[in-house]
């Protein structure tokens, strides 16, 4: 079966523009997670969804970041008014159930110029 | 703030050598995972440990969870070039709500 897919794979945007990053989880996985991996740094946990609900949004770096999930499937991470420090690889993962084994997508590499 | 520190940060060894990577925290985790990540890909889960003192083996890889569930180690026997990659530990804990954090990572290079 298909794994977790993310699009776009690469995104270059100008400072101040808005970007949307998409994650398609494995079919039937109820939990979905977003992470950020900066160059030379570890993975930073951003937000998770149980179904369409995100119980805790405190991991999002600023109020320019938002995420939603619809239909218990696709999720979108939106960054408004991008800044250079937002440049990173954004990874999405899904699991069959909450706290289950996470399967990661290949990530979206975001570069803000 | 919960923190998972890994050591060493970088490791370059010859094929056939043994190595150990450590993952340490001052906090207790309900479970701990080890992942391997290759360039351009997401992390791939290697193992989950749950019980303090637990030891799991995956071919040449041996994983141990500390008795107090605050630390873990990954030992690779007779390393091969195919073991090259970024090794990450990660742990789950609850602080009002669910949190999941990754360690700082160990970048391993095995030379043929």
């Amino acid at each position: 079966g298909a794994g977790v897919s993310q699009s776009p794979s690469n995104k270059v945007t100008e400072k101040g523009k808005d970007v949307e990053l998409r994650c398609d989880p494995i079919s039937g996985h109820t939990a979905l997670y977003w992470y950020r991996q900066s160059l030379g740094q570890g993975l930073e946990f951003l937000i998770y969804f149980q179904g369409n609900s995100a119980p805790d949004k405190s991991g999002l770096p600023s109020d320019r970041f938002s995420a939603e999930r619809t239909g218990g499937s696709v999720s979108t991470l939106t960054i408004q008014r991008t800044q250079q420090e937002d440049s990173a690889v954004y990874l999405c993962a899904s699991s069959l159930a909450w706290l289950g084994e996470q399967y990661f997508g290949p990530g979206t590499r975001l570069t803000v110029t | 703030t919960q923190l998972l520190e890994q050591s060493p940060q970088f490791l370059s060894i010859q094929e056939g050598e043994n190595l150990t990577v450590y993952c340490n925290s001052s906090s207790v985790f309900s479970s701990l995972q080890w992942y391997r990540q290759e360039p351009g890909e997401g992390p791939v889960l290697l193992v989950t440990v749950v019980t303090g003192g637990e030891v799991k083996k995956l071919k040449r890889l041996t994983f141990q969870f500390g008795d107090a569930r605050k630390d873990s180690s990954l030992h690779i026997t007779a390393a091969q070039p195919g073991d090259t990659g970024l090794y990450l530990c990660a742990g789950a804990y609850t602080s009002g709500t669910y949190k999941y954090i990754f360690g700082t990572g160990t970048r391993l290079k095995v030379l043929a």
Side-chain angles (χ1 to χ4, degrees):
Chain A
V4 177
S5 61
Q6 292 185 245
S7 60
S9 55
N10 281 285
K11 176 72 176 178
V12 180
T13 189
E14 292 180 351
K15 178 181 172 181
K17 300 282 189 183
D18 297 352
V19 295
E20 281 191 356
L21 311 180
R22 177 186 169 109
C23 173
D24 280 272
I26 293 173
S27 178
H29 280 198
T30 61
L32 186 148
Y33 315 80
W34 282 99
Y35 299 87
R36 180 168 72 172
Q37 187 171 31
S38 302
L39 188 63
Q41 299 191 20
L43 275 79
E44 177 187 4
F45 177 63
L46 299 179
I47 192 170
Y48 77 97
F49 289 88
Q50 287 180 259
N52 292 332
S53 174
D56 180 9
K57 299 182 180 180
S58 65
L60 294 174
S62 76
D63 58 9
R64 297 185 294 104
F65 287 71
S66 62
E68 66 174 13
R69 189 180 185 195
T70 55
S73 181
V74 172
S75 176
T76 302
L77 178 69
T78 301
I79 308 173
Q80 294 179 311
R81 305 180 303 281
T82 52
Q83 303 295 311
Q84 288 187 330
E85 61 262 29
D86 299 334
S87 295
V89 175
Y90 290 82
L91 289 158
C92 172
S94 69
S95 61
L96 188 59
W98 183 48
L99 297 183
E101 179 178 344
Q102 294 184 39
Y103 294 83
F104 281 81
T108 293
R109 181 175 295 279
L110 175 66
T111 303
V112 182
T113 60
Chain B
T1 303
Q2 300 274 21
L3 199 64
L4 274 172
E5 295 192 17
Q6 288 184 236
S7 61
Q9 189 177 1
F10 297 97
L11 190 56
S12 181
I13 61 172
Q14 293 292 325
E15 181 177 4
E17 292 184 358
N18 302 331
L19 67 117
T20 302
V21 176
Y22 299 93
C23 175
N24 295 295
S25 174
S26 59
S27 302
V28 176
F29 289 87
S30 57
S31 68
L32 196 141
Q33 286 78 37
W34 283 93
Y35 294 82
R36 190 174 88 182
Q37 185 179 21
E38 301 196 27
E41 299 180 9
V44 175
L45 181 68
L46 297 174
V47 77
T48 295
V49 286
V50 178
T51 306
E54 183 176 3
V55 177
K56 282 192 173 179
K57 292 192 175 184
L58 183 66
K59 296 183 180 179
R60 296 177 292 101
L61 277 61
T62 302
F63 305 86
Q64 184 163 8
F65 202 12
D67 290 341
R69 304 203 326 271
K70 292 183 179 182
D71 54 84
S72 181
S73 64
L74 157 61
H75 182 80
I76 301 178
T77 303
Q80 299 177 0
D83 296 328
T84 294
L86 178 66
Y87 288 82
L88 297 157
C89 63
Y93 68 97
T94 55
S95 176
T97 185
Y98 165 77
K99 302 283 187 184
Y100 193 71
I101 60 170
F102 276 81
T104 47
T106 294
R107 193 166 297 279
L108 171 66
K109 186 170 185 178
V110 182
L111 304 169

